[in-house]
Amino acid sequence: MNSKQQKGLYRPEFEHSSCGIGFVANLKGRKSHKIISDALSMLFRMEHRGGTGFDLKSGDGAGILIQMPHAFFADICPLEGIELPEPGKYGICMTFFPQQEGPREACRAIFDRSIEEVGLSLLGYRPVPSDNSDLGQTSRESEPHAQQVFIGCPDDMDLDTFERKLFILRRYTEHQIRQTVADGGDDFTIISSSHKTINYKGQFTTAQVPLYFGDLQDERMVSSIALVHSRFSTNTFPSWKLAQPFRYIAHNGEINTIRGNINWMRAREALLKCSAFSRDELEMIFPICDERASDSANLDMVVEMLVLSGRSLPHVLMMMIPEAWQHHTTMSETKKAFYEFYSALMEPWDGPASICFTDGVLVGATLDRNGLRPSRYCVTDDDTVIMASESGVIDIDPATVKFRGRLQPGKMFVADLAEGRIIADEELKNDICSRQPYRQWIDNGLIYLDDLEQPTEEHLQPNQERLFKRQLAFGYSYEELSEILAIMGRDGKEPLGSMGADNPLAVLSDRPQQLSHYFKQLFAQVTNPPIDPIREKVIMDLRTYVGGFKNILTESPEHCCRIAIPQPVLINRHLEKLRYADHKHFQTKTLEILFKADGLQGRLEKTLARICRYAEDAIEDGYSIILLSDRGMDSDHAPIPSLLATSAVHHHLIRSGKRGKVDIVVECGDVREVHHFATLLGYGASAVNPYLAFESLVDMCEKGILGEASVDEVIANYVKAINDGLMKIFSKMGISTLASYQGAQIFEILGINQEVVNTYFSGSVSRIEGLGLDQIAEETLRKHRKGFPLRGGGGKVLDSGGDYSWRQGGERHLFNPTTIRLLQEATREGDFEKYREYCKTIDEQSKAAYTLRGLMEFQSTKKPVPLEEVEPAENILKRFATGAMSFGSISWEAHTTLAIAMNRIGSKSNSGEGGEDPVRYKLLPNGDDRCSATKQVASGRFGVNSYYLSKAKELQIKMAQGAKPGEGGHLPGHKVSGWIGRTRNSTPGVGLISPPPHHDIYSIEDLAQLIFDLKNANRDARINVKLVSETGVGTVAAGVCKAKADAVLISGYDGGTGASPISSIKHAGLPWELGLAETHQTLVRNRLRNRIVVQTDGQLKTSRDLAVATLLGAEEWGVATAALVVEGCIMMRKCHSNTCPVGVATQREDLRAKYTGKVEHVITFFEFLVQGLREIMAELGFKTINEMIGQADCLKFRDTVEHWKYSGLDLSPIIFRERSGEEEGLYCSKNQNHQMDEILDWKLLEAAGPALEKGECVEGSYVVNNTDRAVGTLLSNEISKRYEGAGLPEGTIRFKLRGSAGQSFGAFAVRGVELELEGDANDYFGKGLSGGHLSVYPDSTAQFAAEENIIIGNVAFYGATGGKAFIRGIAGERFCVRNSGAEVVVEGVGDHGCEYMTGGRAVILGPTGLNFGAGMSGGIAYILDESGEFPNRCNMGMIELEDLEDREEIDSLHALIEEHHTKTGSTVAERILNNWERWSRQFYKVMPSDYKRMLNYISKVRSTGKYSEENDIMDAAFNMHIKNMLIETQARDVEMNIAQVVHSQ
Amino acid sequence: MGKPTGFLEFNRKANPSRPMRERLADWDEVYLLRSDQMSVNQGARCMDCGVPFCHQSAVIEGAATGCPINNLIPEWNDLIFRGRWKDALDRLHHTNNFPEFTGRVCPAPCEAGCVLGIIDPPVSIHDNEWTIIDKGFENGWVVAEPPGSRTGKNVAVIGSGPAGLACAAQLNRAGHLVTVFERDDRIGGLLMYGIPNMKLDKSVVTRRIDLLAAEGIEFRAGIDVGRDLEAEELIDQFDAVVLACGATKPRDLPVAGRELKNIHFAMDFLRANTKSLLDSGLSDGNFISAEGKRVVVLGGGDTGTDCVATALRHRAAYVSQFEILPMPGTERDNENNPWPQWPKTLKVDYGQREAIYTQGKDPREYLVMTRKFEGDADGNVKALRIVTVTWEKDEQGRFFPREFPNSERVVEADLVLLAMGFLGPEDYLAEQFGLERDPRTNIKADHGCYATNIDGVFSAGDARRGQSLVVWAINEGRGCAREVDKYLMGDSYLP
């Protein structure tokens, strides 16, 4: 597998996959070939959920898992000379051998020997017949040699033992071969080894599975269970063995915590013990997990281990993927007890997951706690159960359907073929949970921190001098105290910042850094969704345990004998409880993490080794908690960075097999920011006591700096801020529990050398080398010496720091007074020489190493060319884009100046995520165009309707933002003026929340779907996907390319923002150099580079920056901050407070009046950039940009670097030049095939001709199935093009469809379009509905009760801006998420209903799921919940529940339900309408508080009769809001001022 | 930080000055401090910029913008707003040894750079600084802090002006034993005799010097190194020597009649006045009196202004002030002199205001060049022949003044004060030490390292830089101390 070798930045472990899964089974256990063929056709119908590489024939992988087809083998085997015993007495190892003869023989020899060693007998080998003629090139290049190895069961062995032996055989053989067969051993895999099931899979497209494996077409091959999987991977490298299903499961999703899970499994191996396996057998199996295998493969391995050691498959999955139980309001005590018990035993395998599983007897499926993958099922009257990611994947007669359901978050359903029935979640789990008295076990065994005795010892607050020394020695700055700690202590929140990070990376900084700062947080983008830790807090959990693990193969009362700690920040009192814990099970050993401050080489290394040794000794001595403490620091002893000490001990103990016996608690002075805590927890700490942060807070509190709060309140505020911040950090990676985050190492290390990483941070990614241990020691000592100086002269107050605001002598910033001034003067005066001076200042700063590119220099590989021969500036200007900044984050003036400038020079400005005022679609009298060429589609979908999409030249899907990747946003109500509200399709004065994830992108195949939707909404627009640079972004970009995006933007972590938590600005994501280079290299290597345009942005400021970006593979560049500076921005970094004094980032009219930016200046700037770039091109000998793209060998690492810190860096992986095939090249040269030629809308469009041309009414009916996606979208686009925002008169176009509609039915449908669907539909129904009307009801022949069955999938009406819809039946999770205008009637919804809704109405005539109305700031929902449970299921954070009283309102609700009845024939509606007086009183009205207040203002304004224009009314209502708000805040200010005066006296 | 909307709520308010009638009758300071609440509001005006241009030490087109000693202006503005005066003082002292001097006499290039200045009058940084330090003294927060231990190294600092004092203060703090030599009879250099009492009360200077002495610095006044004490001796006795002796060589006007009586250098006039004031309350008569005289001050800078104000307090008959350069505009020229450059606008300082009050008009005339002095029979100056000039560019593009034809006129004068700047340090000292000099005759040493060509001999302040601001002198003194500390010890903790 040479192509997998590590070159450049690409690493195979970054690959992600995601998929379509499903199964078909017969409940009564009737075997048939039809089950198999149905499953295969299901697979084929989910082809759009799979991926293909550069050649369409090379799929990402697909496969099928079935019961052992004995009849088939009984017929076949004699022909192969294999004598087959009766069923059950033999098993088959479906095995991939290396293709080459030599290694294959070597593998076979070992295999044979292993069979003997395990005590089984070989019956024979059967080469599996295969036909590779349809395979694509890459699949064929890595095609293995598939053989079925028949293994006989000894006569005296029972079947369970035989199954276990087969498992041991498989693990043992694989380990043996991998260790001994050098060439090709890695290719050897046993994909299944069982007497019950067999697996056929490979690197196929879905259609290729039966073509390749002829066996599957054989009618004799029968099964009553068939589980299938189609893979969409971000890479296209050989991955035959990563295809799914695995042995027990097919997994659609991603285990975000995999690194931790693997480590913890490893840590527990020494503790494992059970009757099913002997110790020798366990040793043959270990390691259970395989770091090189995918997350899904590891999940399967652990499932297998736990199942074979005696638990049922559902039980195991409940352990590993538990429901969110802690904050669950309606869960039974028994079940909570089960989950609590197991939470002490094992951390969740966390991440989005839909899992289908089978052990050959039962088959089932489960969903993760957040329900982030679709799973639909139905049961027919012939006992067939069909379960898949989508509905409609097998054609079935609707009349035979007994039930249509979906899997809900955290739920499981099982078809037990032995019992011949479906066991629903409740029964199944109740059965499992009541097997043991878990509650009693917990009550007796589990110890809560509060229960521990409080020792009398306590630490006193140090005096000023000592505190100051400590602060110095731990590198505190004034800024950290006043801008971070004080804010957290006072407000209980992490502070906000704005603009980007333009200071050096930790490794390039001259100021001594925290070790944590070399660790960059990873975050979810595309392949899995981040979570909203605020609005979806119900699934978050910060509980942690200490006291050592137990053997997970068994369960007993002692298993939960651990100490439960509710959250990981230990206040002093709690730490002392632990320190002095004296309990029969727990004692704590304190180890000092200090090293002698003599600066000797190797001192730190020796000390770490000693601490690790002591830790091991402590375990031997029976301690189960290790407390690492640096409290003993003195002038001779410096503190080891707590992160280093913790991780060193953690990894040392994992390696020595003792980690499972203890937990690590840390008492340290260096930890203060959220990020610091995250790193410690991420590298194995269970809890942290930041004593110096506490002491600093107490000091500030006592000085009265923190207002009125008491010391206890301040500490509590700080702890809360840290906890909230931690949850945000977990959730940005899609992790919801601390237990699974702990040790998961969700970081990339930037600037620490491989040796240190391998020893102390094993398994973390660090790609450019950097500091060694002695440099880390030196950095620590530099701080220590400040606190304990050898002599006098030091400052008497803390240094400013200068990280967040520029300070002389503080941290360096690229934008500082000099560069800002030079740039502004150069562009205002049109002075190119001054521009040169500006560039020189920045580029030379770069040479003092601010950035990675600053460490590079050009080297010419060609002869220079005369400047005149370089392509003209006009061509190059087209390659620019400005960053995505919304109107809302920056002012109208600043926004339109950029748009006009960019349109004049033919480049692209970006609307940002706030929609666009249609007034900009008209040209100005002088011909200037204010329309943003690029329109953004972000998670909030504000103002994203058909017309908006139609007016774009490019549509950008913002997956992440450099300044806060993985996080959402919140535009507070006081910033939503009438104008901004209008543009965003919302109500002025009402806050707007952008969710962290796009709720229609939880996976790569979802992204492909959104791209398809947008392409339908505007097929002339280029689709651009914005990613943020992080480890593995290249493979994500490859996935994005395969999802058919036309362009991908790699943003640096350092890009700008209007408001973002300051830890996110600094600590999440990577510089673009790494991400861009990785992307380019990965695309080239995948032979995808020519299909996609690569763009980059993030602190691009000079022509040199552009040249470096181009050489690293970018063909387009985004420049935003610098353009704003040209417009007048002076980097106040106060964008979030709306007080920008130069009118750039403010909405205040008085400040906007101060704006002085000019279109001409902006144009001059871009012209200067190009002029400088052309000069560099001439010098390097490039005549065109295309020639220059990706020519990384024109860059080299400066060889003159002699810095104590960064001379150890190695940038060669970044400037590694990936060679491309001749036909592909290094830049985008061909178009994506969007596969839109065959879509249904062409027919609809044709039929709608008269309506479009003449406004005549048209009708028609069509059949749909699940592969017809985005029905009505392209049609709506055509209407928007012609009729703009207004659409057509209602009812002009009426189409009736029948069948199971694909995803995004009616997406962006506009006014005048009415779609009626008989049947059902999948996810994203009515996405972005823009005025159209939709209705759906079950097939007329269906027998089931509509209101009890699921009819449309998850995330319906996401971001709808208008229109109506009527749904007869139940909808999935997140119904009406971010709806801002549609009026919808439905008969039941899943969890998170009406989340983030800002407008429109939702009428729900049935039950709702949990967390209803979370983040709902506008619109109204009417719920008819007969169960009375509804109030318990609401998230009351922003809403109020009211009764219906207003007559007018009751009448309009009546009218809506009546329409529902008319459109869908709903019997529920009929029943309600028939007794309206009674039912109308039963509705709950859900009213968002802010919305209510604004409606009140609006009606007050309206009643004055002063305004006739709607816009004026909105403005007046907004002003009323602001005025009232000011009165409130002033009242508060007065109080605050009084407090201050009191304190200052 | 601070109040985010403060700049939108409050207008700029500078320190008030004492009534004209009252202040012209004495030698006390002209300005008063604002009320506390006003200061709090002025602190609130600070926007806490992400890039505070006030805090940078830049020189653009020859003029400073931003604070040459990088005062942590946004930080103490915020602290003022929060009423945390003591913390504000600590952060102020972190960068500035003598805020009571700069708070009074600095022309405040920080305010030129203040970002608020783009759209509104800048934050009153200068007055805020003054308020902080005066509150500090008032509350007894400013106390001597002798170093905890001594290094055993001796350093000689020559010159007790702001550069020498700053350098001495810092070196002492690092534990070195510092001896400051001053050739004049009182310590303080320019601070003592260069700036008149109404601008910087001499008790303010001595108060600080007393503190420094209490911290362990030895002051030796009346010793003119190079004359009273050989350079070689000094180098022998001390581990390092810092020359901070200022640029005291005044620019002369070599025209006919220069030798006439009652034509004085401004510094002689000012020094004598202050000395007599301190010695005897001007009763000893040892000063050049302008009483009843028609006074002409040549030079439109700050020293000229001080001469005007001093002459007015002597009850001069009339005071005129001539400047050869053109009159600056009243508004900033945003095309050629944009923010954050030092605004070349007309500044009406206290002296001019006092002249306007007493004489009815601004004493300054622009584009005036003196052709010759004319005297009476006794050799006393009686008049100046002056011409009007225009500024033109020569072939090299340099500006030069061209006489305006037929513009010559005669101005009567009994006392002429030459306030046309300084050329550089006195020659004798540099020569004796054998120091290299730069083309402008200043002692040659680079900014930032301060080492001269002689090992162990450093130079800072106007002596190295040429005539400049007090705040630059402090910058140089502090920087030089850091270099001397490194030279002596190998490293330095000095901020």
Side-chain angles (χ1 to χ4, degrees), chain A residues 29 83 244 421 468 473 541 875 964 983 989 1003 1048 1074 1285 1323 1488:
Chain A
E83 207 176 310
Q244 296 196 38
R421 67 186 186 103
F468 181 57
D541 187 353
N875 291 3
K964 47 173 170 180
T983 315
S1003 61
V1048 62
L1074 276 159
D1323 293 352

Side-chain angles (χ1 to χ4, degrees), chain A residues 478 705 789-791 793-800 805-808 817 821 1131-1132 1134 1139 1141 1148 1544, chain B residues 8 47-53 55-56 60 70 72 75 83-84 91 94 119 145 173 485 489 491 493 495:
Chain A
Y478 177 75
I705 295 170
L790 302 170
R791 57 196 190 85
K796 298 190 174 75
V797 292
L798 292 177
D799 277 346
S800 297
S805 297
W806 174 83
R807 290 288 184 270
Q808 180 69 39
R821 177 180 64 82
M1131 298 292 284
M1132 284 294 295
K1134 291 284 175 294
T1139 54
R1148 287 179 63 130
S1544 61
Chain B
L8 296 163
M47 305 188 294
D48 181 29
C49 302
V51 180
F53 283 70
H55 160 81
Q56 70 166 335
I60 307 170
N70 308 107
L72 300 166
E75 293 169 25
R84 291 169 53 198
R91 295 212 73 70
H94 188 53
I119 57 162
E145 295 176 60
R173 171 176 175 172
D485 193 26
M489 309 299 294
D491 60 0
Y493 290 87

Side-chain angles (χ1 to χ4, degrees), chain A residues 244-384:
Chain A
Q244 296 196 38
F246 293 108
R247 287 152 293 273
Y248 282 86
I249 62 166
H251 174 217
N252 172 12
E254 184 136 325
I255 304 297
N256 299 322
T257 53
I258 188 68
R259 163 96 6 232
N261 297 123
I262 291 176
N263 277 340
W264 292 125
M265 276 315 290
R266 180 114 186 255
R268 290 187 191 99
E269 278 172 4
L271 303 168
L272 296 187
K273 220 171 27 199
C274 83
S275 54
F277 295 101
S278 69
R279 190 68 211 172
D280 285 348
E281 285 175 334
L282 287 174
E283 294 296 336
M284 290 168 96
I285 296 166
F286 292 161
I288 298 169
C289 290
D290 178 356
E291 291 188 8
R292 286 169 304 179
S294 67
D295 53 345
S296 310
N298 276 296
L299 179 66
D300 185 72
M301 292 177 208
V302 177
V303 168
E304 185 174 33
M305 180 77 212
L306 292 173
V307 167
L308 291 174
S309 58
R311 288 189 177 94
S312 74
L313 191 46
H315 186 158
V316 168
L317 287 164
M318 282 176 75
M319 282 172 69
M320 295 180 67
I321 306 175
E323 289 178 69
W325 57 275
Q326 221 187 7
H327 309 290
H328 204 295
T329 46
T330 55
M331 186 181 282
S332 77
E333 268 308 305
T334 327
K335 196 153 69 164
K336 272 197 179 174
F338 173 90
Y339 283 128
E340 184 167 9
F341 176 80
Y342 272 104
S343 74
L345 225 66
M346 190 177 189
E347 75 292 345
W349 288 54
D350 205 351
S354 166
I355 292 173
C356 288
F357 54 84
T358 182
D359 60 3
V361 178
L362 59 76
V363 59
T366 188
L367 205 55
D368 67 89
R369 57 171 60 202
N370 210 8
L372 295 173
R373 289 286 188 271
S375 298
R376 302 275 293 267
Y377 61 89
C378 74
V379 185
T380 64
D381 55 11
D382 67 347
D383 291 320
T384 308

Side-chain angles (χ1 to χ4, degrees), chain B residues 161-194:
Chain B
L165 288 181
C167 189
Q170 291 292 93
L171 285 169
N172 182 58
R173 171 176 175 172
H176 307 300
L177 275 175
V178 185
T179 309
V180 177
F181 295 92
E182 168 59 51
R183 64 185 163 199
D184 222 322
D185 63 333
R186 283 185 169 85
I187 297 293
L190 172 100
L191 299 167
M192 179 56 68
Y193 287 132

Side-chain angles (χ1 to χ4, degrees), chain A residues 2 29 92 127 145 184 254 256 318 354 404 474 700-701 743 870 882 904 927 960 972 1125 1285 1362 1383 1389:
Chain A
N2 291 332
I92 297 177
H145 182 84
E254 184 136 325
N256 299 322
M318 282 176 75
S354 166
R404 282 188 192 279
F474 283 110
M700 286 192 282
C701 184
V870 175
T882 60
R904 277 201 209 160
V1125 169
E1383 302 191 322
V1389 301

